[in-house]
Each structure stands twice: as C-alpha cells, then as structure tokens.
Amino acid sequence: MGFFTDTSVCIGCKACEVACKEWNAVPEDGLDFTGMSYDNTQGLGASTWRHVAFVEQSKPLGNAAAEGDGDLRWLMASDVCKHCTHAACLDVCPTGALIRTEFGTVVVQEDVCNGCGYCVPACPYGVIDQRPDDGRVWKCTLCYDRIGAGQEPACAKACPTDSIQYGPLDELRERAAARVEELHEVGVEDARLYGHDPEDGVGGDGAFFLLLDEPEVYGLPPDPVVTTRDLPSMWRHAGLAALTAASAVVAVFAAHGRTGSGRRAGRRGGRR
C-alpha cells in the first residue's frame, strides 16, 4: 500500500498537514514566517510528517521578457516519507526500532528507538529526523493504525482535491501513468512521475509523485540511491584486508620463530 500525490491539483491548503498532526498527536514545530515563502513549516522533520511546499516561479513570456514581467505560477506539493522499497534506515538501525509492516510501509517503534541517529544520515531523502527533547527519531507511519482498521490515512482523507491518493501501489501506478498522459494531451508537457519506478535506486517509493517540473525544484533528489547499497562489497573488502593483514602478521611471527630456532641450534652445536 502507498501514496500517489498528484501535485497538479494541489491547492496548498495544508489540510493534510493539519490532519496528520491531529490524528498522530504530532507537536507544533514553530510556524515561523521565513520571509521567503508563504510556507511556514519549511520542510519535513520529526514534528512535520507532511509538508506542503510552495514554489513560486516566474517565467518571462514573449515581449514581457524585455519588460521584466512574466508568467507567474505556484507549484505546490505535499511531501512525505517515501517508504522506500530498499530502505537504508532499516539497514542501519541497530535496535530493530524501524520495521517493515505487512503493508510494505516503514514504521518507527518509538518505544524501541534508542536515539542513536544512525538512520538520519542514511535516508537519501533527508526525511527521518530526531526530536531535540528526547533524541528519538520520528516520521510518517502512513497512519499504520488507521490502515490496519481499513481506513484511509488522515492526510488522504482530509485532502479536498484528491491530490493525495491512497491504495495498492500497482493500481496507483496505473492511475498515475494515465494522469500523465491526460496532462500531456492538454499541453502540460512538463508533467512527469517521480519515485514510481521499481527499478530505480531505492527499488521504487511507497509514496510517489506527479511533478510539473524537475525534482530539484521541489527539493527532491533527482536520482536517489539507497545509501547502504555498497555495504556488502565494503564488508567483503574490509574482511579481505583484515585477512591479508592477519596472514602477514602470522607470516612474520612464523619467520621469526624459524630464525630463532636456527640460532639456538647453532649455539648448542658450537658448545659441543
């Protein structure tokens, strides 16, 4: 199960943010006016599990370019944990606090988390985060308690435009592909999917998006890769290096032992 977020119909109402906080009892986290955007939550974090980005774009058109004017548009997108198929946070967690649920989602067990923070730099999307008051990590659970009871996640339930859609990933991918074709037919050529491909660097995301511009515009990495993909080969090389070093030490001691035995035998022969 997962999310498909169609940013082409997102109106930036932030109902998803509010619903997420209310249902999951996520604490308030600042609501600061940055002066850079109407977005006052700024990004995902331990106390922001859903974040609606506001991207203001101005593109000169025709004669307006010479006059400094242009076409203004807002790009709005509700971001969330991607629930990666190959999740690096799971790979590095030493306590088993991060688990894969029966729905294919990734959840933090806060009563097991010891606050080591290994998962924070492991996430290729920069999603998972620690709360400063207790050090434990927190992120979207895809409303595990709700979907276990056959309900929609709170954010999808609250979304007034169906920008956030919840369901089986295979069905969502088909629906998303059809939506991209529909937008292309009406002239929205920049429409593209992000995180939908099971062959990408994280094995496909459990929460993927329809974007209207490059991923970087929305603050998303263009080609995310599971950060632990090279760990097996790294351990093999480290093991080989350790074995080589151990063999060299054994060889030195063995050579020293043979030399010492020869000297002792020589001294005994001389006395006779």
Side-chain angles (χ1 to χ4, degrees):
M1 307 297 286
F3 284 129
F4 162 49
T5 301
D6 181 353
T7 70
S8 70
V9 293
C10 178
I11 59 174
C13 67
K14 288 185 177 279
C16 54
E17 285 192 24
V18 175
C20 175
K21 280 184 175 290
E22 287 185 343
W23 180 263
N24 295 291
V26 179
E28 184 269 327
D29 55 345
L31 303 178
D32 299 320
F33 182 68
T34 65
M36 301 296 292
S37 168
Y38 289 108
D39 170 22
N40 55 12
T41 48
Q42 303 179 49
L44 293 173
S47 297
T48 300
W49 299 359
R50 266 281 179 189
H51 168 247
V52 180
F54 288 67
V55 180
E56 183 178 342
Q57 288 187 329
S58 180
K59 295 185 177 181
L61 296 177
N63 294 330
E67 301 173 1
D69 298 325
D71 185 36
L72 177 68
R73 71 170 179 174
W74 286 97
L75 297 179
M76 298 171 181
S78 182
D79 198 8
V80 71
C81 171
K82 313 306 181 291
H83 296 276
C84 309
T85 299
H86 298 155
C89 57
L90 284 175
D91 293 339
V92 301
C93 180
T95 65
L98 280 148
I99 61 170
R100 178 81 62 185
T101 73
E102 65 270 32
F103 303 106
T105 58
V106 179
V107 171
V108 180
Q109 301 176 99
E110 61 268 19
D111 56 334
V112 182
C113 177
N114 67 357
C116 70
Y118 293 165
C119 54
V120 176
C123 176
Y125 296 101
V127 167
I128 198 163
D129 189 25
Q130 292 173 284
R131 284 186 188 159
D133 56 344
D134 66 7
R136 292 178 297 172
V137 298
W138 306 80
K139 69 173 193 68
C140 163
T141 66
L142 216 142
C143 283
Y144 178 66
D145 53 347
R146 290 179 63 91
I147 63 178
Q151 298 178 303
E152 275 188 295
C155 56
K157 184 71 174 177
C159 181
T161 63
D162 280 337
S163 172
I164 302 171
Q165 302 175 33
Y166 164 77
L169 280 173
D170 289 341
E171 293 181 11
L172 292 177
R173 288 177 183 134
E174 292 181 6
R175 190 183 308 167
R179 175 61 176 161
V180 169
E181 290 183 9
E182 178 184 345
L183 289 172
H184 286 173
E185 289 174 359
V186 296
V188 186
E189 298 178 359
D190 288 337
R192 86 270 323 260
L193 296 180
Y194 177 85
H196 68 296
D197 185 3
E199 302 300 321
D200 68 12
V202 295
D205 292 327
F208 65 99
F209 304 81
L210 186 155
L211 305 179
L212 298 179
D213 208 324
E214 298 292 339
E216 299 95 317
V217 171
Y218 296 86
L220 297 168
D223 189 20
V225 174
V226 59
T227 53
T228 54
R229 67 174 182 175
D230 296 325
L231 277 181
S233 62
M234 291 169 64
W235 281 116
R236 285 195 297 270
H237 284 97
L240 181 60
L243 181 61
T244 302
S247 300
V249 170
V250 170
V252 168
F253 277 101
H256 179 74
R258 288 194 297 271
T259 302
S261 298
R263 288 175 180 171
R264 287 193 295 273
R267 287 197 294 270
R268 287 196 296 271
R271 285 196 294 273
R272 287 195 293 271

